[in-house]
Amino acid sequence: MRGENQSFLGGPPKDFILLGVSDRPWLELSLYVVLLVSYLLAMLGNIAIILVSRLDPQLHSPMYIFLSHLSFLDLCYTTTTVPQMLVNMGSTRKTISFGGCTVQYAIFHWLGCTECIILAAMALDRYVAICEPLQYAIIMYHPLCQKLVAVAWLSGFGNSLVQVVLTVQLPFCGRQVLNNFFCEVPAMIKLSCADTTMNDAMLAVLVAFFVLVPLALILLSYGFIARAVLRIQSSRGRRKSFGTCSSHLVVVSLFYLPAIYMYLQSPSSYSQEQGKFISLFYSIITPTLNPFIYTLRNKDVKRALRRLLSRTWRFCRRL
């Protein structure tokens, strides 16, 4: 017992135990099925969005460049976490190595911050399309969109790098049990037996920058959009303008609400019991819903999907 309570000053721990819902064994089978089905739907839906955005000439506008990157992010999100969850739920040994845990939270935070900026870029695109329609092609030209995407990916990587450097140095004491489905920085900080003031402060600063600043830009963009739409005399025109933004607003809400709850509180007051189910929501449920939200609410995507399915069917019939 004494050795178990000592901190790992000689090196990092070999692995961590991910509790998941092992304290509720009656829930494991049903959750396993839900995760498996959700993962398959997320893969199919997001791959379909990427394919139609790349292959259909009518979807080569800036909005669909951003949408294809959002779908790729969602694919990576689910693949980073869900396979490990499924393996652990189907096994009595619910562990992840120290290296695997580090890679998992590094990629997860990289993707999360990148998505914040991509969603802000999509809001900017909607603002220009509705408020400055005559200047749209000039302002949202293709090289600018590629630069915005590059900034999003590089900024997310920079944030993740800082978090990893600070987190891997933390000592851990006793049994390395994470009351979560996968590794996240707040849970790692909570588990450490050292003074985590520096980690808490850096996490708060980076979250404020990568979550609140993009969110403020999104809200500002939609404030201007709402003002422009309300000036439209035709009710049909207003419905059409709001319709082009509704899918994005739903996706923003699904992503930001749980992220704000998770990351805008001090890790020292972080509740792992609540946090693990919120983490489950935005790591699998949100990426699964996103392609269906854009497909069901977007006529261009639905038409492009029908054209892609028609071409695929004709190709299969020729074989």
Side-chain angles (χ1 to χ4, degrees):
M1 277 299 285
R2 188 169 174 269
E4 196 176 70
N5 289 325
Q6 291 176 337
S7 84
F8 289 87
L9 297 177
K14 285 178 64 178
D15 51 37
F16 294 95
I17 299 168
L18 294 167
L19 280 184
V21 289
S22 56
D23 55 336
R24 301 176 180 89
W26 52 270
L27 191 57
E28 279 199 325
L29 179 59
S30 55
L31 188 57
Y32 183 93
V33 173
V34 169
L35 283 175
L36 181 61
V37 172
S38 298
Y39 182 56
L40 294 174
L41 289 174
M43 294 290 286
L44 288 171
N46 285 296
I47 288 171
I49 293 286
I50 293 168
L51 286 176
V52 296
S53 298
R54 297 293 179 180
L55 299 177
D56 197 296
Q58 296 183 30
L59 298 186
H60 286 176
S61 64
M63 181 65 182
Y64 297 104
I65 293 173
F66 298 133
L67 180 57
S68 63
H69 280 273
L70 182 67
S71 292
F72 181 68
L73 281 165
D74 286 341
L75 271 180
C76 296
Y77 249 135
T78 51
T79 303
T80 301
T81 56
V82 177
Q84 177 72 42
M85 290 188 227
L86 293 174
V87 168
N88 283 354
M89 284 184 187
S91 166
T92 54
R93 212 168 158 269
K94 305 178 186 302
T95 59
I96 184 171
S97 68
F98 177 80
C101 188
T102 304
V103 169
Q104 193 174 70
Y105 68 70
I107 294 175
F108 195 78
H109 280 264
W110 180 11
L111 298 173
C113 292
T114 302
E115 185 155 342
C116 287
I117 300 173
I118 292 288
L119 289 171
M122 293 173 80
L124 173 65
D125 176 79
R126 291 300 83 204
Y127 162 74
V128 177
I130 292 172
C131 300
E132 302 289 343
L134 299 179
Q135 302 293 316
Y136 181 77
I138 299 170
I139 298 172
M140 298 302 295
Y141 60 103
H142 194 269
L144 175 64
C145 297
Q146 296 295 352
K147 287 174 185 175
L148 288 172
V149 167
V151 166
W153 282 99
L154 291 172
S155 300
F157 179 77
N159 167 69
S160 176
L161 186 62
V162 172
Q163 292 294 344
V164 170
V165 169
L166 289 173
T167 307
V168 293
Q169 299 180 56
L170 291 173
F172 300 97
C173 306
R175 293 181 69 236
Q176 309 311 308
V177 179
L178 282 168
N179 188 10
N180 209 329
F181 294 98
F182 54 90
C183 298
E184 279 191 287
V185 168
M188 301 299 290
I189 294 173
K190 181 81 171 178
L191 189 65
S192 175
C193 55
D195 179 12
T196 59
T197 305
M198 178 66 178
N199 297 73
D200 289 355
M202 186 57 71
L203 183 63
V205 169
L206 290 173
V207 166
F209 184 76
F210 283 101
V211 175
L212 295 184
V213 172
L215 181 59
L217 292 173
I218 291 169
L219 295 176
L220 185 64
S221 297
Y222 277 104
F224 285 120
I225 288 170
R227 189 176 68 174
V229 169
L230 292 173
R231 289 176 180 170
I232 298 174
Q233 300 297 320
S234 162
S235 59
R236 184 181 177 185
R238 282 198 296 271
R239 281 197 302 272
K240 185 179 178 182
S241 297
F242 276 126
T244 61
C245 302
S246 58
S247 299
H248 182 245
L249 279 172
V250 172
V251 169
V252 165
S253 301
L254 286 173
F255 179 79
Y256 270 100
L257 290 177
I260 287 170
Y261 176 85
M262 281 289 296
Y263 290 98
L264 289 184
Q265 59 176 316
S266 168
S268 56
S269 61
Y270 171 76
S271 168
Q272 291 192 24
E273 191 62 31
Q274 292 178 352
K276 69 181 180 182
F277 288 103
I278 293 171
S279 299
L280 193 66
F281 180 84
Y282 65 72
S283 66
I284 182 63
I285 304 301
T286 301
T288 303
L289 292 177
N290 283 355
F292 295 99
I293 292 167
Y294 276 106
T295 303
L296 294 173
R297 304 280 304 176
N298 191 308
K299 292 179 182 178
D300 292 335
V301 174
K302 283 194 281 190
R303 283 195 288 264
L305 277 171
R306 280 196 289 266
R307 286 193 294 269
L308 178 64
L309 289 171
S310 177
R311 286 200 299 269
T312 305
W313 174 249
R314 286 199 299 269
F315 176 77
C316 292
R317 288 185 65 182
R318 289 197 198 110
L319 295 178

